[in-house]
Amino acid sequence: MSLITPPTMKIDVRVKKQACLYTIIKVARDEDLGEQIGKEIYFDLVDHDKVRSFHIQKQMSFTQFKEEVAKAFGIPVQFQRYWLWAKRQNHTYRPNRALTALEEIRPVGELREVSNKLNNDELKLFLEVELCLDLRPLYPPGKTTREEILLFLKLYDPLKERIRYVGRLFVKRRSKPLEILAKLNELAGFSSDEEIELFEEIKFEPNVMCEHIDKNLSFRRSQLKDGDIICFQKSPRKQGNEQCRFPEVPSFLEYVHNRQVVRFRSLEKPKEDEFTLELSKLNNYDEVVECLARHLRLDDPSKVRLTSHNCYSQQPKPHPIRYRGVDRLTEMLSHYNQRSDILYYEVLDIPLLELQDLKTLQVNFNHADKDEVTICTVRSPKQSTLGDVLNAVKTEVELSRPDAELRLLEIFYHKIYKIFPLDEKIENINDKYRTLRAEEIPEEEENLDPHSRLIHVYHFMKDTTQNQAQIQNFGEPFLLVIHEHETLTEVKARIQKKLLVPHEKFSEWKFAFVSLGRPHYLQDTDIVASCFQRKDVYGAWEQYLGLEHTDNAANQVIDSYREQNGVADLLVKEQLKITF
């Protein structure tokens, strides 16, 4: 039995075979270093992804490759000299040594394997070209001994806060930096006697290391070698009275390495970038909020509160950053193993430290004699009680009678889950996912006789879309006093009066005793109190008097949506995600 290879597979195999016959050679030149350093990069010498690449057959001799370069750059073969790059232990990447005459007659594929054992796809080279005064190329100087080393030079201007590439030099290992000062001044365009300071750029990850070079020590004693970088500048003592943020090379490189542009967004508009600020990754909490306050023209930075970004949800994190709760900007921008450049801010009316000692609760006050809800935002010390919260609510709302007492309920999914005791501490109260409702305690509840009881009353309807009908609660739940021998007819009359429901609509309502989600429908002559005798239930919300009727509020939404969009009921319900 023979297997037939699909045409596409044959093409893929052929492409892979051809790819194996070629290699990529990336050639960096002085022009690349001059274009990139101080603009696109600041550390090391070049970004190899942005230099000229050549797609060359592995069997081509390096001499033939030099002819390709001559065509591309206009540099005759005899004026070209190439250096191999090497990755050092400190993770920098520098020209390491020049190619030998023997190596230049070998196939380029062999050079690639010699130069880079970690990445066999590419060969990275530095093309050294010497120019005379009229910019014509010269024969490269001889480098026949290890006594000479190739150094690369960067010039830093503290006033302009700019660093740039100015060239390279061969120096004798035993010579001293003093001997090349005049040449460095010439490259920089300074006077020959300008006093300058020299620094060696050693590494930049994970931290910057840039050390001062003693001009009186030999290059050998300073441990300089091929591919090392010398950064130089005018002596800070010669800068005069002009103030510089970064007077020396090391401080400037530290600044560049740690600078971070942060996108700030108002917490009220979490999808919109409002402005950006350039900060340092090393900025502490105070420095970040002070910089933000200056931008916002706030007198008091302590009234700024920050929230970090969740890189996975692309939303603000649920909890804001506490006052001085992080040490550095990097921590503010970190989310597990992800790094963000977004921070959210809000301007408070009191200092954050003071606010953190307070608990802020949002309480909905339901008026006793009118269909109106007042939303109260209450701030109290965390050791305060809910009695203190209700006293604060009293000062913000209109009561039906001066001596009215209030209670606080926890509402969740249209059920009353808790009636809070007045002495409960507010510190652990959660109003983020559950509603806190304050209301007046009716006078009849204040003097409740032993034979009466307080029950929960909830609105509900049946969800007929399920295989087995389920109860769905909606609307505002409430508490009601029922008396020992009170019939459903009497209870219904009080409920209709409380809810102000017109008779024609109220007559369509059904009433049921609901226990653990199962309704037991009541007749007008049934004694309601007799249904609420069991105590072995999880919570009071698990047995209640249920009012079965349609959700008029939801119907009003549907009618409005249908009028505006002209769509059918079922489609409206699907789009609004309302289940009936």
Side-chain angles (χ1 to χ4, degrees), residues 56 80 236 242 321-322 382 426 466 511-512 533 551-552:
I56 302 295
Q80 301 174 18
E242 297 185 70
I321 298 171
R322 293 181 60 82
K382 292 181 178 179
I426 70 171
Q466 304 293 327
F511 292 77
Q533 301 299 318
D551 184 355
N552 292 326

Side-chain angles (χ1 to χ4, degrees), residues 171-181 214-219:
V171 298
K172 302 291 186 182
R173 291 179 184 272
R174 297 182 184 277
S175 63
K176 299 178 181 179
L178 277 174
E179 300 171 32
I180 64 168
L181 296 184
D214 189 334
K215 289 176 282 191
N216 293 300
L217 291 180
S218 69
F219 291 106

Side-chain angles (χ1 to χ4, degrees), residues 3 36 45 127 130 157 168 192 232 234 242 290 297 323 332 339 351-352 359 429 431 462 491 533 574:
L3 296 177
Q36 293 186 24
L45 294 172
L127 172 56
E130 299 298 329
D157 186 340
R168 50 188 163 72
S192 59
F232 67 101
K234 287 183 179 181
E242 297 185 70
E290 284 169 7
R297 298 182 179 179
Y323 177 76
M332 299 182 188
R339 180 66 58 85
L352 177 56
K359 177 77 173 182
I429 302 298
D431 66 338
K462 288 183 178 178
V491 172
Q533 301 299 318
E574 176 61 27

Side-chain angles (χ1 to χ4, degrees), residues 327-457:
D327 292 329
R328 301 291 179 194
L329 175 63
T330 49
E331 297 175 54
M332 299 182 188
L333 299 176
S334 297
H335 182 67
Y336 296 105
N337 60 340
Q338 300 290 318
R339 180 66 58 85
S340 168
D341 64 347
I342 298 172
L343 280 178
Y344 304 89
Y345 78 91
E346 50 189 323
V347 179
L348 309 173
D349 57 344
I350 61 174
L352 177 56
L353 186 60
E354 183 180 333
L355 179 64
Q356 286 180 177
D357 291 332
L358 303 175
K359 177 77 173 182
T360 302
L361 296 176
Q362 181 173 294
V363 179
N364 295 351
F365 176 76
N366 288 27
H367 291 263
D369 51 3
K370 52 185 174 180
D371 187 16
E372 184 177 308
V373 176
T374 300
I375 300 176
C376 305
T377 301
V378 180
R379 283 179 182 160
S380 299
K382 292 181 178 179
Q383 297 306 311
S384 301
T385 64
L386 289 174
D388 299 323
V389 171
L390 291 177
N391 288 334
V393 170
K394 285 182 180 180
T395 64
E396 298 185 30
V397 300
E398 181 181 346
L399 301 176
S400 63
R401 62 185 196 278
D403 60 342
E405 293 297 326
L406 303 184
R407 64 183 166 211
L408 190 68
L409 311 176
E410 181 183 65
I411 311 296
F412 189 58
Y413 281 111
H414 310 286
K415 293 182 179 181
I416 298 171
Y417 272 72
K418 187 174 184 178
I419 304 174
F420 290 101
L422 296 181
D423 59 354
E424 184 166 342
K425 301 292 184 181
I426 70 171
E427 185 171 6
N428 297 321
I429 302 298
N430 182 3
D431 66 338
K432 189 172 183 64
Y433 303 108
R434 303 194 175 196
T435 301
L436 300 180
R437 188 176 84 193
E439 61 186 20
E440 293 184 25
I441 301 176
E443 289 184 271
E444 66 171 340
E445 291 185 29
E446 294 178 358
N447 302 302
L448 203 62
D449 66 76
H451 303 292
S452 301
R453 65 183 301 164
L454 196 63
I455 65 169
H456 293 215
V457 184

Side-chain angles (χ1 to χ4, degrees), residues 25 57-66 80-85 96-117 123-126 143:
I25 303 179
Q57 282 189 340
K58 293 179 181 179
Q59 295 305 313
M60 178 185 286
S61 69
F62 194 80
T63 303
Q64 290 177 283
F65 165 70
K66 291 173 71 173
Q80 301 174 18
R81 179 157 65 185
Y82 291 88
W83 290 69
L84 294 172
W85 293 79
N96 183 49
R97 64 174 181 85
L99 286 179
T100 65
L102 182 60
E103 287 174 325
E104 289 197 4
I105 62 173
R106 295 167 65 180
V108 295
E110 295 181 18
L111 287 176
R112 178 207 59 199
E113 295 169 3
V114 169
S115 69
N116 192 350
K117 296 180 181 179
L123 171 63
K124 297 183 177 71
L125 298 173
F126 174 70
K143 188 180 188 299

Side-chain angles (χ1 to χ4, degrees), residues 286-312:
D286 288 345
E287 290 167 336
V288 173
V289 296
E290 284 169 7
C291 184
L292 177 57
R294 280 196 301 271
H295 181 85
L296 297 173
R297 298 182 179 179
L298 297 177
D299 295 330
D300 189 355
S302 68
K303 292 184 179 179
V304 172
R305 181 162 66 178
L306 300 172
T307 300
S308 295
H309 180 69
N310 185 319
C311 297
Y312 299 106

Side-chain angles (χ1 to χ4, degrees), residues 124-358:
K124 297 183 177 71
L125 298 173
F126 174 70
L127 172 56
E128 174 198 349
V129 178
E130 299 298 329
L131 300 175
C132 58
L133 293 178
D134 60 2
L135 302 182
R136 287 182 302 166
L138 295 171
Y139 286 101
K143 188 180 188 299
T144 57
T145 68
R146 294 178 55 84
E147 181 59 25
E148 284 188 320
I149 56 175
L150 176 62
L151 301 177
F152 291 84
L153 308 169
K154 297 181 183 179
L155 173 66
Y156 173 56
D157 186 340
L159 298 179
K160 295 181 179 178
E161 296 181 4
R162 179 188 174 197
I163 197 165
R164 61 188 178 92
Y165 177 69
V166 291
R168 50 188 163 72
L169 282 178
F170 282 102
V171 298
K172 302 291 186 182
R173 291 179 184 272
R174 297 182 184 277
S175 63
K176 299 178 181 179
L178 277 174
E179 300 171 32
I180 64 168
L181 296 184
K183 182 61 178 178
L184 295 182
N185 280 329
E186 178 187 339
L187 291 171
F190 300 157
S191 61
S192 59
D193 59 348
E194 180 69 52
E195 185 178 350
I196 57 177
E197 297 296 332
L198 279 58
F199 302 85
E200 181 191 0
E201 178 190 317
I202 300 173
K203 67 170 187 171
F204 56 94
E205 291 293 351
N207 300 307
V208 171
M209 182 179 290
C210 183
E211 296 181 350
H212 186 268
I213 296 175
D214 189 334
K215 289 176 282 191
N216 293 300
L217 291 180
S218 69
F219 291 106
R220 181 191 295 275
R221 291 194 61 184
S222 295
Q223 298 183 342
L224 291 169
K225 58 184 179 181
D226 281 322
D228 280 345
I229 300 171
I230 291 181
C231 303
F232 67 101
Q233 64 173 91
K234 287 183 179 181
S235 174
R237 295 190 299 274
K238 299 294 183 178
Q239 297 294 337
N241 295 325
E242 297 185 70
Q243 295 296 317
C244 302
R245 290 197 304 167
F246 313 107
E248 293 187 323
V249 175
S251 59
F252 174 73
L253 293 181
E254 285 278 1
Y255 153 71
V256 170
H257 183 259
N258 293 309
R259 68 180 169 186
Q260 173 72 56
V261 176
V262 180
R263 293 184 285 157
F264 282 93
R265 299 177 178 180
S266 169
L267 195 61
E268 296 177 352
K269 299 177 180 179
K271 294 293 185 182
E272 302 175 15
D273 290 345
E274 191 169 323
F275 54 87
T276 61
L277 293 177
E278 184 183 281
L279 303 172
S280 169
K281 297 173 186 175
L282 301 180
N283 283 148
N284 60 31
Y285 176 89
D286 288 345
E287 290 167 336
V288 173
V289 296
E290 284 169 7
C291 184
L292 177 57
R294 280 196 301 271
H295 181 85
L296 297 173
R297 298 182 179 179
L298 297 177
D299 295 330
D300 189 355
S302 68
K303 292 184 179 179
V304 172
R305 181 162 66 178
L306 300 172
T307 300
S308 295
H309 180 69
N310 185 319
C311 297
Y312 299 106
S313 69
Q314 295 298 309
Q315 295 286 338
K317 289 186 179 181
H319 302 292
I321 298 171
R322 293 181 60 82
Y323 177 76
R324 294 179 177 171
V326 295
D327 292 329
R328 301 291 179 194
L329 175 63
T330 49
E331 297 175 54
M332 299 182 188
L333 299 176
S334 297
H335 182 67
Y336 296 105
N337 60 340
Q338 300 290 318
R339 180 66 58 85
S340 168
D341 64 347
I342 298 172
L343 280 178
Y344 304 89
Y345 78 91
E346 50 189 323
V347 179
L348 309 173
D349 57 344
I350 61 174
L352 177 56
L353 186 60
E354 183 180 333
L355 179 64
Q356 286 180 177
D357 291 332
L358 303 175

